[in-house]
Amino acid sequence: MFSHQPWYHGNITRSTAEDLLSKAGKDGSFLLRGSESVQGAYALCVLYQNCVYTYRILPNEDKKLSVQASEGVPIRFFSVLPDLVEAYYKENMGLVTHLQYAVQKEEEPEEEPEPVSLPPQLPPRNITSNECKDSHSDSSRGTDRGTELARPSISDTCIQRLQQIDISNLPEEHQKSIQEYFCSSVCLDAEQVQNGNPTLPHFKKLTQSICKNLNSEIARTLPSLEALQKVLDQPLSPGAGRLRSQHSGDANQSVAFKLEQLTKLIYSVEDKTKNAVFESVGYDGGHRKSLIPPVTFEVKCDSLGISNKMYLKVDVEGGKVYFKKSKDGPEDKYFVHNKILQLVKSQKMHNRLVLVVETEKEKTQRKDFVFDDTKKREGFCQLLQQMKNKHSGKPEPDMITIFVGTWNMGNANPPQNITSWFQSKGQGKTHDDTASQIPHDIYVIGTQEDPLGEKEWIETVRGALRDITNISFKQIATQTLWSIRILVLAKPEHENRFSHVFCDSVKTGIANALGNKGAVGVSFMFNRTSFGFVNSHLTSGSEKKLRRNQNCVSILRFLNLGDKKVNPFDITHRFTHLFWLGDLNYRVDLPAQEAENIVMKIKQQQYQELLARDQLNTEREEEKVFLDYVEEEITFAPTYRFERDTRERYAYTKAKATGTKYNLPSWCDRVLRKSYPMAHVVCNSYGCANDIMTSDHSPVFATFDVGVTSQFVSKNDLSKDAQGAIKIMNCVAVLLTKSKTKFFIEYHSSCLEKFVKSPEGENQENTEGSIKVRFSGQVELTPIIADPEYLLDQHILICIKSTDCDESYGEGCVALRSAENSFTEFCIKLTHHGERTGRLTGGIQLPKSDGKQTEKLYDFIKVGDDPGAGKGKSGDNTKIPEDGQPPEMFDNPLYGSMSSSRGSKDHLPPPDAHFSFPKTDLDADRQHPVPTPRFRSFTCSETKPQSSSATNTMSSGLQPQNITKKPVVPSRSEGGMIGPNRPPVPMKSRPGQPQELQPKPRDYRDSSELPSKLRQQTRQGQPKDGHHETQQPQLKMGRPLK
């Protein structure tokens, strides 16, 4: 193999190869790497005049290698790469210049071996039966041999241990058998092992003797169980038949094996009995049973300036909210679910909520309530959202809830009760008790250092969920790599909504060969929405953050999940929603002498000063890892490294042969996410359970409301085929590369029958280290379904490729919802294998729509203006400031001011903040299209410029950060999606993507009357005396006011 050749760099990325060649700086410098576009091919990278030229080396059917060089040059074939490289040292071989200077591979620092869980060692091979009887052997046989024999024999060791145990209560024959085995027979077994027989026959004889009565009991029990199974399962299952024949035919069968088979059979019989009984009574596991009992909230209601106490009783199953003056008062005043039009959360008062309801007189009325605290308000909102979902009458959901949990179990069995983890109880942003009984649709559980078998862990989790929800959750997928595991469970009613389930794993341990560190992943389609989940256990050690970053890149590149048709894209862009969880092992980067100071600040809950030194936060801010991922604000204590069986003390020192090692308290266990632009996702909780203490890590939980789509059914006249295409025009890319090549664009989407390639772009000069590419003309993409309502839920994946080696130079995503039936300009960031590679600007236009859009259930809850803060019209007149920065939004109403936190870690800065190219450089010579863009109001989270000062402030001491925010004017929020650190306020654009404006769903906060002539027809199955939702044309999603 040629891996030892200095010029071969293996699977390094294209950008890494460019950096190495730039450092070499000589014309004719070269290296070889693995191709990113063709498996089994290579890429020859050559430096000439400060530009990098890339040539593909492809194998033919006979595995002969050839270089794709200039036209007119005869193709030469080579058997091995060294011969090919040697030949191209000659001039005039079709390359831009001949090969001269091989760029050597950078030496990687040797990794300190980490503790690896291996199978138990066999007995020492030096022990014989004679040595067992006389352990005092002559030590003159040699120094090494004498050292070995100086150790106590296995017989002596076991006898000493046996003498320390009280065995007087054991049967006399059992005592005699055990003593006899450890005195003599154990040495005979050791001799057998030394001779190559690891079956331990004398130990088997001992267990057979001890379990003699158990064997007879098994023989007596099995026929009864088999008869029971015959009744429940015809014909007799193969497993049961095998067990019976094995038992009767082999009297020497291992007792452990028999017990294992017996256990499996009992499990099988129990499951089949449950299924048979449930089916006979029409019971389907409990998920149609009334799971959520009515919950009553004490609130205050302002009436004529007087604050009065009231009680709100929420009956999710009955679909009603009762308004009562006393807790036990009459329930004569209530609103049915379809009369509750909207919930509006106050931005200033974190416990205030407005209910917009429809009255009998066809008018809307605002009811203003103040809850005891924010968590009670959130619990009330979650219950009402659940009620809306349950009684919506929709055949398929457009929003589901997902639980994501990660726990490093520390190679210890879990405690009996782990339900608090799945109920999001503990520290941080947690669920209120009133909402803890609401079952999630999907549970994704990642574990590391998991000592349990796969089946045992699955049954443990399912049992805990059954205790909480009375639902028998279905297993969707599981994947295990050594002790790293991911498990996906779902409600039984969703089982048929899952498809395209894939699992994979990547090893990142020593030399990327050991699976003690690495990642496991699961992907699937839920109806028409793609999901990906990655559970990783990265390299440990405070000083190894760069190695952890490399682990992440390896996982991004080689974890094979999702749609294989989108090969140019790694898992970052393959899924509508991607969740990355696990023991990421990033530490608080402070000196060891700060340990006591850290513990003190944790006790005082001064987390922000420590989070300012969190390695994952600083690496993300410097765009070295998890580019554009989002993490909810951390408001819980570090989850590592605790003393086991307590959460009062951190065990931050560890004695090793080389001295004391410090493991400072850190947030090792994290949950991050990345979704397509303008896709709905809301984080409802993020924290850790503090009553599960068997490990030195605490379990971490996060829960999300996630928007999903289903098979589209058009409301338009099917006899008239919708015509039209998605038009993309005037694209200009700025690529951070020194490569000298031509480029084209590939457009991928599930709404297209196949991907589309653009014409070759025109390269233009740009600043040092980058190139501008202009793609003139217009590209038309023909969708499978041209209905605009369908297209608004779709996304276009964009990949910019080189013509010479067909490799990607950057990928991005455009939400078609941003076009909203008019021409819209877009500006997206380009990334590749977790690195920023440039940006792309252009325009997009969708076919015109004459129909109305269907409302989404997640538009039910909004964050809006406070009562008395005006008419709420300011949002319609919000303008972008002259400096081009979007307006800020208020602080997180759940968790107070972000002014002391590093809150910008999950807000994407505008593209200009990442590149030193002036805006006019892209727009000065751009041809403006005829359609006129519409300007809409929008609200946007705070964006902070990237600054290197964050790392400069990291001195040896802990210094609090002073981050101030500009005062802003509240603007009316509009529908759809929320920022990662905020409650469910629909967000219309992400910072840095000003083109992606959210359409405006129904908003009842400013309307006072619903004209009867515009009343919506009663839904099928609704009682006629119920309250009907109405919709005014001027308030349709995506329509301007007329």
Side-chain angles (χ1 to χ4, degrees), residues 426-444:
Q427 291 186 351
K429 184 178 180 179
T430 59
H431 281 174
D432 185 66
D433 289 342
T434 55
S436 63
Q437 303 299 319
I438 301 177
H440 298 286
D441 296 285
I442 300 175
Y443 288 81
V444 180

Side-chain angles (χ1 to χ4, degrees), residues 720-736:
K720 299 177 181 179
D721 294 334
Q723 300 294 327
I726 305 164
K727 298 177 182 178
I728 300 179
M729 59 200 81
N730 302 332
C731 289
V732 178
V734 176
L735 303 176
L736 301 178

Side-chain angles (χ1 to χ4, degrees), residues 154 199 209-210 268 310 320 332 383 427 438 444 456 490 521 600 819 865 867 941 948 974 978 1012:
I154 187 174
T199 59
S209 172
I210 293 175
S268 174
M310 281 190 63
K320 297 177 182 178
D332 52 349
L383 286 170
Q427 291 186 351
I438 301 177
V444 180
E456 185 180 3
M600 181 188 69
D865 302 323
S941 303
S948 61
E974 299 178 330
I978 72 162
S1012 58

Side-chain angles (χ1 to χ4, degrees), residues 627-814:
L627 198 61
D628 297 339
Y629 281 70
V630 172
E631 182 182 22
E632 183 71 2
E633 180 186 2
I634 292 177
T635 56
F636 51 92
T639 56
Y640 173 81
R641 180 179 186 253
F642 286 103
E643 284 189 17
R644 296 180 190 245
D645 300 323
T646 180
R647 284 302 175 262
E648 299 298 324
R649 294 181 299 278
Y650 286 94
Y652 52 81
T653 60
K654 186 176 183 180
K656 299 188 74 174
T658 55
T660 302
K661 181 180 179 181
Y662 283 82
N663 287 302
L664 298 180
S666 299
W667 288 275
C668 292
D669 311 284
R670 312 287 272 268
V671 177
L672 299 97
R673 72 180 189 272
K674 190 176 189 300
S675 297
Y676 284 167
M678 306 184 78
H680 179 79
V681 58
V682 177
C683 182
N684 290 321
S685 69
Y686 188 35
C688 66
N690 53 10
D691 61 346
I692 300 174
M693 300 177 288
T694 52
S695 171
D696 51 2
H697 292 252
S698 289
V700 168
F701 53 78
T703 59
F704 303 91
D705 290 342
V706 180
V708 294
T709 59
S710 55
Q711 182 63 45
F712 180 76
V713 178
S714 178
K715 299 187 293 290
N716 297 330
D717 187 355
L718 297 178
S719 62
K720 299 177 181 179
D721 294 334
Q723 300 294 327
I726 305 164
K727 298 177 182 178
I728 300 179
M729 59 200 81
N730 302 332
C731 289
V732 178
V734 176
L735 303 176
L736 301 178
T737 181
K738 289 190 174 182
S739 292
K740 196 74 170 179
T741 182
K742 293 288 187 179
F743 300 93
F744 63 93
I745 300 178
E746 280 188 1
Y747 300 95
H748 296 253
S749 178
S750 59
C751 70
L752 305 176
E753 288 189 5
K754 59 182 180 179
F755 71 89
V756 178
K757 293 173 64 173
S758 76
E760 190 176 287
E762 176 189 352
N763 292 0
Q764 297 178 353
E765 292 299 324
N766 210 59
T767 56
E768 179 70 21
S770 68
I771 187 171
K772 182 195 289 187
V773 187
R774 183 175 300 282
F775 300 90
S776 59
Q778 176 176 288
V779 175
E780 293 194 358
L781 310 178
T782 304
I784 299 173
I785 302 174
D787 191 310
E789 183 180 355
Y790 164 78
L791 294 178
L792 288 179
D793 285 328
Q794 307 304 312
H795 294 80
I796 302 293
L797 295 178
I798 294 177
C799 176
I800 298 183
K801 285 187 169 184
S802 62
T803 56
D804 56 8
C805 59
D806 202 44
E807 290 185 336
S808 173
Y809 278 67
E811 304 101 47
C813 181
V814 174

Side-chain angles (χ1 to χ4, degrees), residues 9 12-24 30-33 36 43 45-47 52 54 103 835:
H9 291 245
I12 64 171
T13 62
R14 175 190 51 76
S15 59
T16 303
E18 290 185 9
D19 291 341
L20 292 173
L21 290 168
S22 296
K23 289 178 184 178
F30 74 96
L31 60 81
L32 268 79
R33 59 176 175 83
E36 293 183 357
C45 304
V46 184
L47 183 70
V52 177
T54 303
V103 175
E835 297 177 313

